[in-house]
Amino acid sequence: MSKKVLQLSGLLFGSALAVRGQAVLYSQCGGSGWTGDTTCVSGAVCTVINDFYSQCLPGTPSGTTTPSTTPTTTVKPTTTAPASAGKLKFAGVNIAGFDFGCNSDGSCTASAAWPPLTKYYGADGAGQMQHFVNNDGFNTFRLPVGWQFLVNNVQGGPVVDANLAEYDDLVQACLSTGAYCIIDIHNYARWDKGIIGQGGPTDDVFAALWATIATKYKSEPRIMFGVMNEPHDVPDIQRWAVSVQAAVTAIRNAGATTQLILLPGNNWTSAETFVSNGSAAALSTVKNPDGSITGLIFDVHKYLDSDNSGTNTECVTNNIANAWQPLADYLRTNGRQAINTETGGGNTASCVQYLCQQIAFQAANSDVYLGYVGWAAGNFATGYPLGETPTQSGTTWTDTLLVQECLAPTSGSQNGS
C-alpha cells in the first residue's frame, strides 16, 4: 500500500472547536466520555445523535440547559436522517496482498503481488474472512488488486486468465463466507504515471478491463465493482467522469446490471473535499445505460490522523464536522449515497475514541452512508501501524484493539454502546 497526505483538516478542525468555550456548528458537544465543550455557538443547539455522540446542529435552544457530557436538549437538523436510519448495511475489512507492489503514481509490479492465501504462501486470508464474519459480524471485504497484475504488466493488454484465476481464488474465498466482495483496481487512476483518459491509458482500454471482470462476475449479486482506488491530482475532474462513465457502461453492458458500482473522486476520493473539488457534481453525470443512477454509489475515503494520510497511529479527529456532516447534507439533498471503503487508524486509545464516533455518526445517517471498510488485514503483518490482521493460535483468532472496540459490528460502535 502507498498511502497519501491529504489536507491538514484534522489539525485545523481541532484548533477551531473552541469559540469562547463553545463548540462550533457541526462539531461534537457531548456523548459518552466526551470532555470538550458542551454548549454550542449562537444559532446551534447540542443535539443527541446517540449515547455515544452529540453534535451542534442548526437550531435555537428552547430554554437554558445545564451543560453535561450527555446533553438532553434535542432538535432536528435542517436536513435530517429518517427515523429508519441507524444501522449500516455494510461493515468490512480490506484484505490486502494483490495490491502489493503498487505505488500512488500508478506503477505496479505484477511479480510483487502477494496473494493473501496459504496456497500461494501468503497469510490465511480465507481464515481471516471466515473469522471476521463468524466472530465479529462483518459482512463485506474489499479485495484490492493491481491492474498490472491482472494483465501481467502489458499496458493495453487483455486480462491474463491465469492471473485472474489466482485473484478469483481470493474472490471465491470471500464469497464462500456469505459476505459482499468489492473488486478494487488499486491504481490511483493511472498506469505508470499516465492518467486514464488524460494522457495515459484510453477510456476504451480501461473499459475493456472492466468488461472482462464484469463478465466473469455478472451473475454474482454479492460482488461490488470499485472502479478505481483513490484518484488524485487529476487535472480535469469532468474528463475523469467520462472515464468513469466508460467503466460503468462496460460493466452494465457485460451483463452485471444489478450490482453496486462505486464511483471515486479526486484528491484520493477524500470525503472532506468530495463536494468542494467538484467530484460530486462531475460523478453525478455518470449514468447507467438506461439513464438511471440505480446502484451507482459514491466511493469515499477518510483517515483520522493529523495529516489525514493514514500513516500515523494516533488519531486527532472524528471527521464529522469537516467531512461527514457536510457530505451527508449534500447526499441527502441530492438523493445520493456513499460508502467509506477505506478508513482506520492505529490500535491506540485515541483512534478507538474517534473512530467509534465516526462509525456511530455514519450509522445514525445510514440513509446516505451505506457502510465502511477498515484498512487493512490480509498479508499485512500484525506489526503494521494500521494493521487489522488478527493473530491466530490454533483455531483461535484474536482481533486488534481497533477491530474489537470499533470496527467489528459486534463491538456496538454502530449504536454507540
Side-chain angles (χ1 to χ4, degrees):
M1 181 179 82
S2 178
K3 299 319 294 176
K4 53 276 168 191
V5 177
L6 302 182
Q7 298 175 355
L8 296 176
S9 55
L11 288 176
L12 294 175
F13 167 64
S15 64
L17 278 180
V19 178
R20 298 182 181 177
Q22 294 180 314
V24 299
L25 185 64
Y26 295 128
S27 64
Q28 186 175 3
C29 57
S32 177
W34 176 248
T35 58
D37 295 326
T38 57
T39 59
C40 303
V41 295
S42 178
V45 64
C46 194
T47 304
V48 176
I49 303 298
N50 52 45
D51 290 343
F52 202 82
Y53 181 78
S54 298
Q55 182 178 25
C56 290
L57 295 175
T60 303
S62 57
T64 303
T65 59
T66 301
S68 67
T69 57
T70 308
T72 58
T73 303
T74 61
V75 295
K76 290 186 177 181
T78 53
T79 55
T80 185
S84 58
K87 185 170 178 59
L88 296 166
K89 183 174 182 179
F90 304 113
V93 179
N94 281 268
I95 306 297
F98 275 105
D99 56 314
F100 284 16
C102 289
N103 302 305
S104 60
D105 64 359
S107 61
C108 298
T109 303
S111 60
W114 186 15
L117 296 165
T118 56
K119 69 180 291 186
Y120 299 114
Y121 308 101
D124 185 7
Q128 290 177 23
M129 288 187 284
Q130 288 286 351
H131 157 70
F132 283 137
V133 170
N134 295 335
N135 301 119
D136 294 327
F138 287 107
N139 68 352
T140 306
F141 299 103
R142 183 169 178 254
L143 312 175
V145 61
W147 187 352
Q148 283 87 336
F149 173 79
L150 293 175
V151 300
N152 204 29
N153 283 331
V154 179
Q155 182 176 358
V159 172
V160 176
D161 290 343
N163 291 22
L164 181 57
E166 283 191 28
Y167 180 65
D168 183 58
D169 284 342
L170 183 64
V171 175
Q172 295 305 320
C174 174
L175 290 172
S176 71
T177 68
Y180 291 87
C181 309
I182 303 172
I183 295 175
D184 160 52
I185 304 300
H186 212 76
N187 275 73
Y188 305 89
R190 291 160 166 77
W191 176 293
D192 295 342
K193 301 181 181 180
I195 298 173
I196 299 166
Q198 300 183 49
T202 65
D203 291 346
D204 287 344
V205 167
F206 187 45
L209 170 72
W210 273 114
T212 299
I213 295 171
T215 298
K216 185 173 183 63
Y217 298 110
K218 63 184 179 181
S219 299
E220 179 46 68
R222 286 175 291 129
I223 289 289
M224 289 186 259
F225 301 106
V227 168
M228 178 58 60
N229 176 69
E230 296 188 343
H232 65 89
D233 300 293
V234 174
D236 188 338
I237 189 61
Q238 298 292 338
R239 184 61 185 81
W240 169 243
V242 174
S243 299
V244 174
Q245 179 68 72
V248 168
T249 300
I251 291 168
R252 296 303 193 213
N253 285 345
T257 58
T258 61
Q259 295 91 336
L260 298 185
I261 303 178
L262 312 185
L263 314 181
N266 212 348
N267 191 26
W268 317 91
T269 201
S270 167
E272 181 177 352
T273 60
F274 200 82
V275 175
S276 62
N277 68 22
S279 295
L283 293 172
S284 291
T285 67
V286 176
K287 301 291 194 297
N288 293 309
D290 65 2
S292 73
I293 59 170
T294 304
L296 304 183
I297 308 299
F298 292 153
D299 187 1
V300 295
H301 292 178
K302 205 75 175 79
Y303 287 92
L304 301 93
D305 48 358
S306 61
D307 57 5
N308 289 274
S309 66
T311 60
N312 303 293
T313 57
E314 295 294 339
C315 296
V316 301
T317 175
N318 55 29
N319 292 309
I320 293 169
N322 56 328
W324 299 117
Q325 179 66 62
L327 181 56
D329 292 343
Y330 176 90
L331 295 170
R332 199 167 287 124
T333 299
N334 291 275
R336 301 304 297 248
Q337 294 177 314
I339 184 170
N340 179 18
T341 60
E342 268 196 41
T343 192
N347 290 290
T348 58
S350 64
C351 289
V352 167
Q353 174 188 352
Y354 289 119
L355 186 61
C356 282
Q357 293 169 359
Q358 176 177 285
I359 291 173
F361 180 83
Q362 290 171 337
N365 292 272
S366 61
D367 60 313
V368 292
Y369 292 125
L370 296 184
Y372 59 87
V373 188
W375 185 274
N379 268 342
F380 279 115
T382 55
Y384 169 57
L386 270 64
E388 295 166 8
T389 304
T391 56
Q392 183 181 15
S393 177
T395 59
T396 301
W397 294 87
T398 302
D399 285 315
T400 64
L401 176 67
L402 203 62
V403 170
Q404 290 180 32
E405 297 295 327
C406 289
L407 286 165
T410 55
S411 70
S413 60
Q414 289 196 36
N415 57 25
S417 62

